[in-house]
Amino acid sequence: MTASGSRVLTGYLRGTTPPSVLEGREWIVGNGIGGYASGTISGVITRRFHGLLIAALRNPLGRTMMLNQLTEWIVLPDGRELQLGGAGTAALAEFRLELGLPVWHFEVEGVRLEKRVFLPARQNTVVVSYRLESGPAGLGLHLRPAIHIRPHEGSVATAPPSYTVSLTADRFELTDGTAYPALRMFVRGSRTSFVFEPTEQRPVEYAVEAARGYDSRGVLWSRGRFDVTLEPGATASFVASVEDWDILLGLDPEELATCERDRRLGLLGRDSNSGESAVIDSLVLGADQFVISPVGRTVDAARARARGDSLRTIIAGYHWFTDWGRDTMISLEGLCLLTGRHREARWILRTFAGYVRDGLVPNMFPEGSHEGLYHTADATLWFFHALERYLAYTADMPFLRELIPLLEDILRRHIAGTRFGIHVDPADGLLSQGEDGYALTWMDAKCGDWVVTPRRGKPVEINALWYNALVVTANWLRALERGGDAAALDARARQVRESFNARFWNEEGGYLHDVIDGPDGKTDSALRPNQLIAISLSHPVLDHARWRSVLDVVERTLLTPVGLRSLAPGSPGYYANYHGDLRTRDSAYHQGTVWSWLIGPYVDALLRADPTSRDKARASLRGLAEHAMKGCLGQIAEVFDAEPPFEPRGCIAQAWGTAEWLRALDRVSETPRAPAIDRHDR
């Protein structure tokens, strides 16, 4: 992949960027099936998730760390050896993202060497290429793999076993004697060889894991090195994979690089505004990392193929999230519909429709599991919203006819009552939820038996979503010429609206209660961003006269440059920072911590209340755009500290953060591509 004609995110110059910053800046590349490669710009490993090949394997294995690191050094003609990456090296001259892929330039002793990393689509393979741009003929390059095969979330403190290795011609294969597949490695280039060396158990300190309260000291195993001779202008490629040898040897690394480059250019080609900004390009390409074909659920994939589909889902965040129902439905428009991936959006909706049980969309799929977990009260309601947006883009009436029986069944089960205490209160028509030991809304932090924000009762955003689901389903039934059934839902929606406005409005504060009818009939008046959902959805349940008051309160207390706080400062239990061990972080997760995805509902609510406020809405997006240039490059983090300097925390790349930024940016543009949300937009 060459720089010609490609889009580049701003580079980092080693001479002006402190080493500590280079160790704090990260990159990630996905393979479209859930696997990835990730690391720091400097090459120093700071997380247990940092590695060159985290393979997505069939269940029950799940995502697996197969190759942790390559130690790289060059040998000058006078015999001196100089390390390229890692701590303490001054060889790094520049780093950049090109078409969303990491590129390093090393300059030392008259040598200029370019390094690139990419993962071919739909393969558990990584290609690391090296091109000698200038330097002496016959330059020696040594590559020493370091390995600890384990679940990608597995403990780093467990020492790797003595792996069994074999070498045939230029092919190196490693196994650990368990269910994990063989790791296969080779180098394509002129004059390459593998040199066996004494087994090395090199200690590693995972600094970020230590700060997060996890095992942080481990070792990496190595048995030798690949030697390469480089000539000026020539490229050599290191390939590591769990695919079969006949596939690996039948594909040329440079051909694979061209295929990946063309694929990425095609993604940008779908976006008519792709040339507007390097940040937009990077986030469009970043969005691609989340849309995957899950390789683990083989039976489900076979079922999808039988009906002419392909199994698709959305990874909620890297490194540790799997696919979550709520995150998928919120992200669908920004990741798929806005970027022209309409067919994949339908596949995702049909995938989750197939998992509905007792009227519920699954909350999430645990790593390596075939079965979903259903402890959520809102993922199913977001499904209605996602389907509505899909239909606005596609007018796919045959798909609606296919799903309408399921949608009606979901509503019936919610009205009658389903799992986890989810049911409609016949007295006011509002949706109630809650069961001991569970947090069923998006504010779902739970540490052991401690549910941090249970929100049992009738949460504000759950009932805004419930109202929206009733209205859109009634509209669909009318479109299908079922006016009588639609009228029944209309009546129910009117009851919800009347009850909502009578019971959720906090007259004294000028905003909405967060939860009513909690345990012992209590009302929770905590000032949270959830109330924006009552304005932002296609059919807002909150009376128009109260929109401005809610927005004023939210802007005054919750709005930050990188999203909205999850709780107002000064509230009981408010946390200014999100850090420390798991219990400390869970305490702060929804108690002040800023969430990037909430910028989408805020922009929707702002523009609905005042369609002339585009400049103000656009300004609210700048902070996240700046973060995408200096956090995990080309990505938006899950959460941020609640107070300046608003340091990024949590997952380095979050699907709904990226999706909602892209969607909000489109909404504030002069010529939005998305169909209008409702009559207030017209």
Side-chain angles (χ1 to χ4, degrees):
M1 260 177 275
T2 65
S4 174
S6 62
R7 291 149 166 124
V8 177
L9 187 63
T10 301
Y12 286 79
L13 297 179
R14 173 65 171 171
T16 59
T17 307
S20 60
V21 174
L22 294 174
E23 291 182 17
R25 300 286 188 261
E26 298 177 71
W27 57 270
I28 188 165
V29 179
N31 64 2
I33 53 177
Y36 61 90
S38 182
T40 64
I41 292 176
S42 69
V44 174
I45 294 176
T46 62
R47 298 179 186 266
R48 55 180 157 167
F49 304 97
H50 284 162
L52 286 171
L53 179 60
I54 295 84
L57 305 179
R58 289 187 175 185
N59 295 340
L61 295 177
R63 287 177 290 182
T64 301
M65 178 68 70
M66 296 299 300
L67 173 62
N68 302 67
Q69 191 177 42
L70 277 180
T71 302
E72 309 148 318
W73 68 100
I74 58 174
V75 183
L76 298 173
D78 61 8
R80 284 182 296 152
E81 296 183 349
L82 299 173
Q83 186 172 334
L84 295 181
T89 177
L92 180 61
E94 181 189 23
F95 175 90
R96 69 176 187 271
L97 288 186
E98 190 174 294
L99 284 174
L101 299 173
V103 181
W104 294 258
H105 277 106
F106 300 99
E107 292 183 3
V108 60
E109 298 285 344
V111 174
R112 182 171 175 83
L113 185 72
E114 179 189 80
K115 169 187 170 182
R116 295 170 177 267
V117 173
F118 75 95
L119 280 66
R122 308 291 190 266
Q123 293 185 43
N124 282 312
T125 299
V126 63
V127 179
V128 187
S129 66
Y130 302 86
R131 182 175 181 269
L132 181 58
E133 296 186 324
S134 62
L139 182 74
L141 173 66
H142 295 332
L143 307 171
R144 181 161 184 149
I147 297 161
H148 182 186
I149 297 175
R150 56 173 171 79
H152 77 143
E153 281 198 85
S155 172
V156 300
T158 303
S162 295
Y163 298 107
T164 301
V165 298
S166 62
L167 182 66
T168 303
D170 60 349
R171 294 178 290 175
F172 181 94
E173 188 167 301
L174 177 147
T175 58
D176 71 348
T178 68
Y180 291 120
L183 174 63
R184 301 179 172 97
M185 295 178 282
F186 68 96
V187 175
R188 185 71 58 84
S190 63
R191 287 182 287 172
T192 67
S193 62
F194 184 84
V195 179
F196 277 103
E197 295 176 327
T199 299
E200 176 182 277
Q201 298 267 5
R202 179 169 58 81
V204 179
E205 176 71 30
Y206 300 84
V208 173
E209 301 307 312
R212 289 169 60 84
Y214 296 114
D215 296 333
S216 60
R217 294 183 178 180
V219 294
L220 301 180
W221 183 95
S222 183
R223 188 65 176 85
R225 71 176 194 266
F226 290 92
D227 287 354
V228 188
T229 301
L230 289 174
E231 302 295 339
T235 299
S237 297
F238 169 87
V239 181
S241 180
V242 300
E243 308 293 344
D244 293 336
W245 278 117
D246 57 346
I247 295 176
L248 292 177
L249 299 179
L251 297 172
D252 179 73
E254 292 193 21
E255 179 186 1
L256 288 174
T258 300
C259 291
E260 182 62 13
R261 177 180 181 275
D262 291 345
R263 189 186 74 83
R264 288 172 174 265
L265 284 171
L267 293 171
L268 293 179
R270 295 172 177 167
D271 182 357
S272 60
N273 291 331
S274 61
E276 179 180 326
S277 160
V279 178
I280 298 175
D281 286 348
S282 296
L283 289 171
V284 168
L285 292 168
D288 177 61
Q289 318 250 51
F290 302 106
V291 182
I292 70 160
S293 303
V295 297
R297 302 198 284 273
T298 52
V299 173
D300 294 332
R303 185 179 296 114
R305 288 194 299 270
R307 61 174 176 253
D309 278 1
S310 181
L311 199 67
R312 288 290 191 278
T313 190
I314 289 175
I315 290 286
Y318 291 100
H319 301 95
W320 50 82
F321 279 117
T322 58
D323 45 341
W324 288 59
R326 173 192 307 114
D327 302 55
T328 295
M329 300 308 145
I330 293 174
S331 302
L332 190 76
E333 182 173 5
L335 298 186
C336 295
L337 297 173
L338 201 60
T339 56
R341 304 169 77 148
H342 298 167
R343 183 172 64 166
E344 287 173 286
R346 185 179 69 232
W347 288 345
I348 290 168
L349 290 168
R350 187 174 273 142
T351 293
F352 275 85
Y355 291 130
V356 170
R357 302 288 184 273
D358 297 327
L360 297 177
V361 165
N363 185 39
M364 53 88 73
F365 289 87
E367 190 78 60
S369 174
H370 292 278
E371 299 297 328
L373 301 178
Y374 288 81
H375 52 295
T376 172
D378 56 352
T380 312
L381 303 177
W382 281 112
F383 179 78
F384 285 78
H385 167 77
L387 177 60
E388 181 196 24
R389 297 310 294 150
Y390 168 77
L391 294 171
Y393 280 81
T394 66
D396 188 352
M397 293 304 291
F399 188 54
L400 175 60
R401 290 189 182 91
E402 173 189 330
L403 289 188
I404 198 68
L406 175 66
L407 302 176
E408 291 181 283
D409 183 64
I410 288 172
L411 296 182
R412 281 193 295 268
R413 288 178 180 271
H414 277 66
I415 293 167
T418 184
R419 304 186 198 179
F420 308 109
I422 299 170
H423 70 282
V424 165
D425 182 345
D428 57 15
L430 297 175
L431 195 64
S432 184
Q433 56 81 44
E435 186 171 302
D436 286 340
Y438 291 96
L440 301 177
T441 72
W442 79 273
M443 292 187 159
D444 55 2
K446 185 173 182 287
C447 188
D449 294 331
W450 176 39
V451 179
V452 184
T453 48
R455 304 180 72 223
R456 293 182 63 181
K458 299 168 182 174
V460 62
E461 82 282 10
I462 296 295
N463 280 282
L465 286 160
W466 174 238
Y467 174 79
N468 194 69
L470 291 170
V471 174
V472 296
T473 306
N475 290 341
W476 292 332
L477 289 170
R478 269 187 289 274
L480 297 174
E481 299 181 347
R482 293 178 53 190
D485 295 325
L489 292 183
D490 287 336
R492 188 172 289 279
R494 283 193 297 272
Q495 182 190 21
V496 171
R497 184 180 178 88
E498 291 170 4
S499 298
F500 185 96
N501 284 280
R503 306 204 56 213
F504 275 97
W505 183 243
N506 182 338
E507 183 66 39
E508 181 180 357
Y511 64 91
L512 296 175
H513 299 301
D514 192 55
V515 183
I516 64 172
D517 293 346
D520 300 322
K522 293 182 179 179
T523 294
D524 181 358
S525 298
L527 179 48
R528 296 186 182 275
N530 305 309
Q531 59 192 301
L532 285 179
I533 307 299
I535 307 174
S536 66
L537 292 170
S538 300
H539 301 278
V541 66
L542 182 63
D543 285 345
H544 180 274
R546 293 168 172 172
W547 293 356
R548 188 65 259 174
S549 177
V550 167
L551 276 166
D552 287 343
V553 172
V554 167
E555 290 173 342
R556 188 169 61 249
T557 59
L558 302 180
L559 183 64
T560 78
V562 287
L564 273 67
R565 296 183 179 97
S566 48
L567 182 65
S571 301
Y574 174 78
Y575 281 78
N577 302 103
Y578 178 78
H579 60 78
D581 62 17
L582 180 60
R583 187 174 182 87
T584 303
R585 283 182 281 116
D586 278 346
S587 299
Y589 205 33
H590 302 106
Q591 296 290 89
T593 298
V594 173
W595 286 75
S596 58
W597 81 272
L598 292 168
I599 201 66
Y602 167 71
V603 167
D604 285 336
L606 178 61
L607 293 179
R608 178 162 286 125
D610 180 8
T612 67
S613 61
R614 291 187 185 277
D615 288 344
K616 181 179 179 181
R618 187 178 294 109
S620 72
L621 300 174
R622 290 175 189 152
L624 286 173
E626 292 171 1
H627 160 69
M629 302 285 280
K630 61 185 181 182
C632 177
L633 296 185
Q635 295 286 354
I636 290 179
E638 177 189 16
V639 295
F640 297 81
D641 286 339
E643 303 294 342
F646 303 109
E647 287 295 318
R649 306 291 185 185
C651 278
I652 64 172
Q654 197 75 3
W656 57 6
T658 298
E660 286 297 270
W661 188 90
L662 287 170
R663 191 184 63 78
L665 183 68
D666 179 70
R667 289 220 63 203
V668 301
S669 71
E670 295 299 325
T671 56
R673 287 157 291 145
I677 289 181
D678 67 4
R679 64 183 181 276
H680 298 286
D681 293 317
R682 294 187 173 93

